[in-house]
Amino acid sequence: MAQQPLLSLPEFQSVSTGTLVVKEPLNFWGGARVKPKDTKNSEPVYEPATDEIARAEVANNGKSITEAQVDIDVAWQCIEYYAGIAPTLSGRLEYWLINLTRWLHIQLPGGSFAYTRREPLGVCVGIGAWNYPFQIAAWKSAPAMACGNAMVFKPSPMTPVTAVMLAEIYKEAGVPDGLFNVVQGGAETGGLLCHHPMVAKVSFTGSVPTGKKVMEMAAKGVKQVTLELGGKSPLIIFKDCELENAIKGALMANFLTQGETKSHLIIYLFALSKCVCFNESECIAYHWDIARAHRVAANLQAGTCYINNYNVGPVEVPFGGYKMSGFGRENGQVTIEYYSQLKTVVVEMGDVESIF
């Protein structure tokens, strides 16, 4: 029998994280907040009056202050990480670092040679989701700009505030005007961005159905795409596990970030039937036997596996899914490859051979 929600949506009609008057536009273009050119389909937004980003995220999204503080910490760590990588990506030979830029020198016969270099894509579009508004904006913009790209970022219309705060932080830190821009809107705005001829890449975080539409629109312009479509990650516990740690992992897996926003302000009751105990031959796991855990992880068709932990995401470690959870990666050195393109240059040092 299906589990019933602990509380129904009508009981939350009066629940709110607060409403505040919008004093300035929430679009950020060319280094400043600007009014939208066409406001006939604009949506109401609520902007907090505080400068504390974490508290702004609470009002923006509805999550707890504890979770919001973690999100902001993850965001600045991401920005700092890619700021450190950026100087290695200049394309000048004296800066090459093979593990980051995949710069290669290949010796050819007769003294000729070839080399490769990484170059920016151009204008990249980032489309964020409502569950981690500020963090997603940082995860997409930091590697994009580190590779020399500009980014136009569209936050979810349900959580429009903190992305523009990030834009102002970049501005204050000295990022050139126009390098990171924020546009507000819903599906129509997202479609315009995906179809725009000057856009070279779209990085989308959201649902599977919308991700398919983004990929379809981007394909018409042969644009590169990264899709982070999430999913309901299963949690498997072996019967001989360390029970206390397994319970902690189950709570982190199923109950983190509940009742995230305005229209999503529902508390869901997740049955712990997801946390089923097996023998190894029946499933593939949460266990302290490291050898067995590695063997099980190797057999899982999943982009991210956690052993004896859950929901840990250091910025140095790639994050992404398999199959319907999307493709491409965010975080880590490998993300440089998703925000740049590889050019091959072949240098002939002798005479040109010709059959003519």
Side-chain angles (χ1 to χ4, degrees):
M1 181 180 295
Q3 292 282 347
Q4 296 297 318
L6 185 62
L7 294 173
S8 62
L9 179 59
E11 294 173 277
F12 278 92
Q13 293 294 335
S14 61
V15 179
S16 173
T17 57
T19 59
L20 296 166
V21 177
V22 177
K23 297 181 180 179
E24 298 180 50
L26 289 179
N27 293 286
F28 195 90
W29 201 270
R33 296 196 185 204
V34 295
K35 294 182 179 180
K37 294 181 178 179
D38 182 5
T39 59
K40 65 178 181 180
N41 295 318
S42 62
E43 302 175 34
V45 294
Y46 305 92
E47 184 175 14
T50 176
D51 291 331
E52 297 179 0
I53 305 172
R55 294 192 180 279
E57 192 73 310
V58 170
N60 186 45
N61 167 275
K63 62 177 61 185
S64 69
I65 186 64
T66 301
E67 290 187 43
Q69 289 169 339
V70 173
D71 291 356
I72 306 310
D73 284 343
V74 170
W76 72 252
Q77 290 167 14
C78 175
I79 295 169
E80 185 178 71
Y81 176 73
Y82 286 106
I85 289 179
T88 71
L89 305 176
S90 66
R92 295 167 57 189
L93 300 188
E94 61 265 33
Y95 281 122
W96 75 272
L97 186 57
I98 192 167
N99 287 332
L100 296 180
T101 64
R102 303 297 191 268
W103 186 91
L104 294 175
H105 179 279
I106 303 167
Q107 195 64 46
L108 300 176
S112 299
F113 63 95
Y115 64 89
T116 61
R117 50 176 286 147
R118 288 217 162 264
E119 298 182 342
L121 296 172
V123 178
C124 299
V125 163
I127 301 177
W130 48 263
N131 52 352
Y132 295 90
F134 191 86
Q135 179 179 310
I136 291 174
W139 275 20
K140 295 186 186 302
S141 61
M145 293 192 296
C147 291
N149 303 292
M151 172 159 279
V152 178
F153 185 80
K154 189 194 84 65
S156 165
M158 292 181 288
T159 52
V161 175
T162 49
V164 77
M165 295 177 69
L166 177 62
E168 292 175 328
I169 291 169
Y170 281 143
K171 167 75 173 178
E172 185 176 349
V175 171
D177 292 347
L179 204 60
F180 180 71
N181 310 279
V182 177
V183 295
Q184 304 288 347
E188 183 180 1
T189 302
L192 291 172
L193 292 172
C194 291
H195 284 300
H196 198 286
M198 290 187 65
V199 170
K201 177 193 172 68
V202 180
S203 178
F204 170 80
T205 298
S207 69
V208 173
T210 305
K212 290 180 177 179
K213 293 178 182 177
V214 167
M215 186 164 59
E216 181 181 357
M217 289 185 288
K220 293 180 180 179
V222 197
K223 307 177 193 296
Q224 295 192 30
V225 177
T226 291
L227 298 179
E228 202 288 285
L229 307 181
K232 300 298 183 184
S233 304
L235 177 66
I236 305 168
I237 304 175
F238 287 126
K239 63 182 180 181
D240 57 347
C241 70
E242 177 100 9
L243 186 59
E244 183 177 347
N245 281 290
I247 292 172
K248 291 179 181 178
L251 292 173
M252 290 296 291
N254 281 342
F255 295 99
L256 188 67
T257 310
Q258 295 305 303
E260 291 90 346
T261 65
K262 292 86 174 170
S263 60
H264 286 265
L265 202 57
I266 297 178
I267 297 178
Y268 297 98
L269 178 60
F270 285 91
L272 286 180
S273 59
K274 279 182 131 184
C275 308
V276 181
C277 296
F278 294 91
N279 296 322
E280 182 181 355
S281 60
E282 298 175 358
C283 77
I284 308 205
Y286 197 100
H287 189 61
W288 283 96
D289 184 342
I290 294 300
R292 181 154 110 176
H294 285 307
R295 183 171 62 250
V296 166
N299 285 282
L300 286 170
Q301 294 188 41
T304 304
C305 300
Y306 299 98
I307 298 175
N308 298 330
N309 211 327
Y310 203 88
N311 209 32
V312 178
V315 296
E316 301 88 353
V317 179
F319 177 81
Y322 279 10
K323 300 186 293 185
M324 297 295 280
S325 288
F327 51 82
R329 290 296 180 267
E330 295 185 305
N331 291 343
Q333 296 178 3
V334 70
T335 304
I336 296 301
E337 299 181 9
Y338 294 101
Y339 282 100
S340 60
Q341 51 195 344
L342 193 65
K343 175 178 287 184
T344 298
V345 180
V346 181
V347 182
E348 175 60 60
M349 300 300 291
D351 295 331
V352 176
E353 295 184 3
S354 175
I355 61 173
F356 300 102

